[in-house]
Amino acid sequence: MENKNLFKKVTHLIKNSKKVMVLTGAGISTESGIPDFRSPGKGLWENMDPMEALSTRVLFNYPEKFYSVGFKILSSMRNAEPNEAHYILSEMEKEGIIFGVITQNIDNLHQKAGSKNVYEVHGNTRVGSCINCGRKVSFEVLEEKVNKKQIPPRCDKCGGLLRPDVVLFGDPMPYVFDLAVKEVRTSDLLIVIGSSLVVSPVNFLPDLVDHLIIINATETPYDYKADVVMRERASYALRGIWEIIKS
Ligand code: NAD
């Protein structure tokens, strides 16, 4: 019963908002088999320190280490397939229920599910670039070189170090983050799905809207501010919400 009321409250908020943005984190992709950083017992964080493995400090000072640890985490995400939660968000965008998705994820799963208006504020695992001449290469080029033991991979044009276009710990935020801030400022509702909301500056976004819904398996520091907190799996929560909206 209590759950039914939560679903009703969420759909009421969505229906009464002119512009709805969604913010996703690693938790939306755990049901696609990609571990997150902070789920108790399962997250990547428990086995290694991602701030270390996926940092500019390691990439620039110990590129061999970056390519033998951090890069493997990134590469392993690329074969995953979207789950129901990604597909429902893509449907919601098509139907004009949500304006777009801001994602901290780098797994390409929103696009694979058909979402068009995606703000990848932590970059992606489709492209890489040379830190010296800026030349862009596909992620496959990085993988091919690593598989051929060309570690660290170097630019064919200038010999500079190649890197994935993922925002590593220590990197500045890309321009798309400014665009995402603008979208949230002009929205009346933000729905956060599968994020611990501890990574800055993305975790400032919930402060920029009047109404907030949080769908996350565990507590977040912003729960106190939310109109509704659903402590549920992303796919279960979105399925329930979508069924009510469509009915
Ligand atoms: P996080 O790991 O800090 O938090 C994930 C949250 O999702 C946790 O609070 C967990 O309780 C919750 N969760 C796990 N499974 C869930 C489910 N099925 N339904 C609902 N909630 C669920 O992730 P974050 O906040 O995105 O921040 C960490 C950083 O990790 C980001 O910068 C991101 O780039 C990176 N990351 C990305 C991926 C990915 O692209 N899939 C994977 C791991 C880490």
Side-chain angles (χ1 to χ4, degrees), residues 10 13-14 20-28 85 89 92 98 100-105 110 184 187-199 201-209 211-223 225-235 237-238 241:
V10 167
L13 270 169
I14 294 174
V20 180
M21 280 303 285
V22 171
L23 168 64
T24 64
I28 197 172
L89 289 180
M92 285 182 164
I98 62 168
V101 177
I102 299 164
T103 189
Q104 301 169 80
N105 295 343
H110 287 298
V184 175
S187 297
D188 18 32
L189 173 64
L190 179 69
I191 308 176
V192 177
I193 306 172
S195 175
S196 60
L197 290 177
V198 299
V199 177
V202 170
N203 66 349
F204 300 144
L205 295 177
D207 273 329
L208 306 180
V209 275
H211 294 288
L212 178 66
I213 294 169
I214 296 181
I215 300 169
N216 200 58
T218 53
E219 270 178 42
T220 83
Y222 280 87
D223 289 358
K225 194 182 180 283
D227 297 74
V228 188
V229 175
M230 295 188 90
R231 206 151 285 151
E232 303 286 358
R233 275 185 301 117
S235 61
L238 284 173
I241 294 166

Side-chain angles (χ1 to χ4, degrees), residues 59-153:
L59 174 69
F60 297 147
N61 295 302
Y62 311 100
E64 293 81 7
K65 187 174 166 197
F66 175 84
Y67 275 98
S68 59
V69 185
F71 185 75
K72 283 193 179 144
I73 300 175
L74 304 179
S75 193
S76 67
M77 292 180 189
R78 285 167 36 85
N79 297 323
E81 292 301 327
N83 64 58
E84 192 179 3
H86 297 101
Y87 285 115
I88 291 174
L89 289 180
S90 150
E91 284 295 305
M92 285 182 164
E93 184 191 328
K94 267 188 218 115
E95 298 296 325
I97 306 291
I98 62 168
F99 184 79
V101 177
I102 299 164
T103 189
Q104 301 169 80
N105 295 343
I106 45 185
D107 55 24
N108 314 319
L109 293 186
H110 287 298
Q111 287 89 339
K112 274 194 189 172
S115 287
K116 302 280 181 250
N117 199 20
V118 183
Y119 300 75
E120 295 176 305
V121 295
H122 285 171
N124 66 70
T125 47
R126 293 184 299 275
V127 185
S129 53
C130 170
I131 67 165
N132 184 44
C133 71
R135 182 171 174 251
K136 294 282 178 197
V137 293
S138 71
F139 202 91
E140 284 83 359
V141 168
L142 298 182
E143 289 177 323
E144 274 163 30
K145 286 182 184 277
V146 169
N147 288 340
K148 283 190 214 152
K149 304 272 180 281
Q150 295 170 14
I151 299 175

